[in-house]
């Protein structure tokens, strides 16, 4: 997992690439969208604003085709992150949901207001806390640009 301390740092580090520029576009558009509803920009990114305690079932979640990016607007929460190779598969990867469920243990990290977390595809994560947070949740394709058939 990559953790950046601010949106300004994200803009500096990820200034190249259409998908990363679309992340900034989405974050800067949150005042114009309804919370809890998925929105999209092109075919490479979907996003929504969550204002709740992040749901968890005690299992780790892993993705393959999309990066999860979380930008924290208010509050803080704990997330446990582990290499997928160090975990045991509980539910095999499903292409329709781009998810696999795993069990085990990892490193606990606290994420808070202003930070951006990028959940890489070689790792899995689970949320631990019971603290309410307000954050932008983005799902960004691993593809560099548009899909080839578009």
């Amino acid at each position: 997992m990559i953790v950046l301390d601010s949106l300004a740092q994200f803009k500096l580090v990820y200034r190249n690439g259409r998908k990363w520029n679309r992340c900034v576009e989405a974050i800067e558009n949150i005042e114009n969208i309804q919370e809890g509803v998925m929105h999209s920009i092109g075919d490479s990114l979907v996003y929504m604003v969550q204002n709740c305690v992040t749901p968890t079932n005690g299992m780790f979640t892993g993705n393959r085709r999309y990066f999860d990016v979380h930008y924290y607007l208010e509050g803080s929460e704990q997330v446990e992150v582990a290499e997928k190779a160090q975990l045991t598969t509980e539910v095999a990867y499903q292409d329709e949901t781009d998810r696999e469920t795993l069990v085990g243990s990892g490193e606990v990290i606290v994420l808070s207001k202003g930070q951006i977390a990028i959940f890489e595809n070689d790792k899995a994560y689970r949320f631990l806390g019971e603290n309410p947070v307000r954050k932008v949740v983005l799902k960004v394709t691993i593809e560099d640009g548009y899909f080839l058939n578009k």
Side-chain angles (χ1 to χ4, degrees), residues 10 13-24 144-145:
F10 180 87
V13 173
Y14 294 98
R15 66 181 171 271
N16 295 323
R18 183 174 299 200
K19 67 183 169 191
W20 303 119
N21 291 327
R22 285 184 170 175
C23 287
V24 173
D144 285 334

Side-chain angles (χ1 to χ4, degrees), residues 1-4 70 72 75-79 109-113 115-117 119 127 133:
M1 178 171 68
I2 298 167
V3 178
L4 302 166
H70 293 209
Y72 287 82
S76 65
E77 70 182 343
Q78 291 183 340
V79 61
I109 298 169
V110 177
L111 299 169
S112 58
K113 181 179 179 176
Q115 291 185 310
I116 297 178
F119 297 89
F127 296 98
V133 294

